[in-house]
Amino acid sequence: MNDQQKTILIIDDEPEIRNLMEEILSEEGYKTLSAESAQRAEHIITNNQIDLVYLDIWMPGTDGVELLKKWTKTNKLKAPIIMISGHATIKTAVETTRLGAFDFIEKPLSIEKLLTSAEQALSIKDERDLDDKIISFLKTKTNTNTYSDCFASLDSAVDKNNLVCLRGEVGTEKEMFAKHLHHQQYNQKHKFVRVQLNLLLAEQQESSAIINELTKTLEYLEEGTVYLSGLVNLDMENQINVQNFLINWLPKQRNRYVLEMLSTKSKASIPEGHKILEQAFPDIVVINLPPLRQHLQDVPDLLKIFANYFATQEDLSQRRFSLAAMNMLSKYAWPGNLKQLKNMVHTILIRSNKEIINIEEVEETLILQGPGGDLLVQNDIMSMTMTEAKKEFEKAFLLRQLELVGWKVTELARRVDMERTNLYRKLSSLGIEYKNKKQ
């Protein structure tokens, strides 16, 4: 458990159920409150900060479904709601989730299901809390010139057509911005659904099969936001198939669709297929998310936000970055952008409990972890020969070191203690491109 104890409200007219749930959840470190009626529950949420609610469907007076409808309509309760019942039908379960319930569990209660549902609901709430903190910072505290166009486009997108494209490099947290857009327009009852396009198509299927899979995935979705990711991971034929499908599909939909579009430092890397949508929808909203290297002055504050958040939410040690470490990170190119910074802070806090995070610890973490939070060597090194493993490690090691020194070979030579002529030969033999990589 984290040191910021979560408060769970249990609403059920059966005292035995309330007592059992309180006992189980309390033993797991949660703070519990209970109510036997809708009236009592209303009083509790007015006077307490609630992180999660378990709500029984069948109760005297105002039942759970009516209470769920009321809270959804008024948006009074920000916490996720899990419905519980021993007599509900599948239709009732589907209806409550459509109204905004996070989950539905049946009585008699399974301890494992109870605890799993709590953990899942609270983790999603924690993720949204962190997203809100970062969005709030980027919107109000960061260099206004960097994000002004981005947020202006997000604000205007709320009232415009139902297709928005988020374009940014890997790690610019496009999904976080999509969720922000969703919460600006919809309330708790509306769902945010993530569809990873490249996972819809098995390798052995014909390319046209992705449209069938996409149709089956989307046709029963209720009103809300659909976040489409993984388009860039499809071959060009399927990218075009998906976009043609959306051209025919979108005019009939009430849902908002947010399409993730990958861009890199090279504009030539943006697939030509994306232009199909831009031509079909002249008023399409395309939002460009800036890379972290364009607002490096915000790095010290972002480091503090993530360090404080993870320390609070995961019971990790409160630590702070040394001035030298912050200066180094404020000049780093951040190829993995905001996501890389977040993952780096999390890894550092897990690995040690010393108060000061020094530059050596930062460099070691960046080298071992990499931009996406991946390990230094991706392949199965144990299946390689000694020569193959050595080459794999050398390439990964030198790439990480090049990232840290801004792709400056002279600085790399000093850092790894190699004569420059030998280093150039080594980079060439490993197939490492460095000449056009400088930030």
Side-chain angles (χ1 to χ4, degrees), residues 107-142:
K107 299 177 184 177
L109 298 173
S110 157
I111 294 178
E112 181 180 359
K113 177 64 176 174
L114 178 66
L115 296 178
T116 300
S117 64
E119 184 178 344
Q120 290 174 342
L122 290 169
S123 67
I124 288 177
K125 183 178 183 298
D126 287 344
E127 182 181 311
R128 180 175 173 185
D129 288 344
L130 178 58
D131 288 348
D132 288 346
K133 287 178 186 291
I134 300 305
I135 287 288
S136 177
F137 171 77
L138 294 176
K139 196 169 186 178
T140 60
K141 301 290 179 61
T142 190

Side-chain angles (χ1 to χ4, degrees), residues 126-401:
D126 287 344
E127 182 181 311
R128 180 175 173 185
D129 288 344
L130 178 58
D131 288 348
D132 288 346
K133 287 178 186 291
I134 300 305
I135 287 288
S136 177
F137 171 77
L138 294 176
K139 196 169 186 178
T140 60
K141 301 290 179 61
T142 190
N143 184 324
T144 54
N145 293 328
T146 305
Y147 275 96
S148 59
D149 291 342
C150 166
F151 283 109
S153 298
L154 280 169
D155 291 341
S156 67
V158 172
D159 300 318
K160 288 194 175 181
N161 64 47
N162 59 346
L163 177 63
V164 175
C165 291
L166 292 179
R167 179 177 288 157
E169 295 176 12
V170 171
T172 46
E173 298 289 60
K174 292 179 279 291
E175 186 170 347
M176 177 181 73
F177 285 91
K179 289 178 179 176
H180 171 71
L181 179 60
H182 171 76
H183 295 310
Q184 293 288 95
Q185 181 174 6
Y186 297 115
N187 59 31
Q188 187 182 16
K189 76 175 182 179
H190 298 104
K191 298 294 185 182
F192 181 92
V193 179
R194 187 178 193 270
V195 178
Q196 192 160 344
L197 295 167
N198 57 305
L199 297 184
L200 294 179
L201 188 65
E203 290 183 7
Q204 69 275 16
Q205 289 179 301
E206 296 180 3
S207 60
S208 59
I210 193 170
I211 302 306
N212 295 329
E213 294 299 318
L214 190 55
T215 303
K216 285 190 285 186
T217 302
L218 299 178
E219 61 184 347
Y220 296 115
L221 292 179
E222 300 290 340
E223 186 178 1
T225 298
V226 180
Y227 179 67
L228 300 168
S229 67
L231 181 67
V232 74
N233 300 117
L234 298 171
D235 59 34
M236 184 54 67
E237 181 183 358
N238 273 314
Q239 288 192 34
I240 293 172
N241 286 344
V242 167
Q243 290 173 88
N244 285 330
F245 166 82
L246 291 175
I247 289 170
N248 295 318
W249 180 266
L250 290 175
K252 300 174 285 186
Q253 299 298 304
R254 292 185 301 167
N255 293 318
R256 176 182 297 286
Y257 285 78
V258 180
L259 180 64
E260 174 187 287
M261 298 168 70
L262 184 67
S263 66
T264 69
K265 299 164 197 174
S266 170
K267 291 184 179 179
S269 67
I270 301 173
E272 286 292 317
H274 288 166
K275 294 180 180 178
I276 296 173
L277 287 176
E278 296 184 24
Q279 292 168 355
F281 299 101
D283 57 344
I284 188 174
V285 178
V286 179
I287 300 171
N288 293 295
L289 302 178
L292 184 53
R293 65 182 176 277
Q294 289 185 7
H295 54 110
L296 290 174
Q297 72 282 351
D298 296 320
V299 167
D301 286 328
L302 289 168
L303 291 171
K304 292 173 186 175
I305 289 172
F306 285 123
N308 290 337
Y309 177 83
F310 289 127
T312 301
Q313 296 299 325
E314 300 187 16
D315 198 16
L316 300 174
S317 298
Q318 288 281 357
R319 305 185 63 197
R320 57 188 178 88
F321 288 82
S322 69
L323 182 59
M326 281 199 291
N327 285 339
M328 187 272 262
L329 293 172
S330 297
K331 298 174 183 176
Y332 181 52
W334 296 106
N337 292 296
L338 199 58
K339 184 176 182 180
Q340 182 188 10
L341 187 148
K342 177 176 68 175
N343 290 342
M344 181 208 69
V345 173
H346 192 226
T347 300
I348 286 175
L349 294 188
I350 289 174
R351 292 176 68 197
S352 175
N353 59 5
K354 296 182 295 183
E355 181 185 357
I356 304 298
I357 302 169
N358 59 37
I359 196 168
E360 291 77 18
E361 188 176 2
V362 167
E363 290 180 343
E364 180 185 1
T365 303
L366 287 173
I367 291 171
L368 289 174
Q369 193 174 37
D374 50 313
L375 296 176
L376 179 62
V377 178
Q378 293 291 304
N379 298 324
D380 183 5
I381 202 168
M382 299 306 293
S383 67
M384 300 178 186
T385 65
M386 178 69 78
T387 302
E388 290 171 337
K390 180 172 179 286
K391 183 177 180 180
E392 184 78 13
F393 175 80
E394 285 182 338
K395 184 172 184 177
F397 175 76
L398 289 173
L399 278 170
R400 293 284 195 272
Q401 295 283 13

Side-chain angles (χ1 to χ4, degrees), residues 61-74:
T62 303
D63 65 24
V65 175
E66 289 303 312
L67 196 54
L68 174 65
K69 287 179 180 178
K70 178 181 178 181
W71 284 341
T72 300
K73 184 177 181 180
T74 61

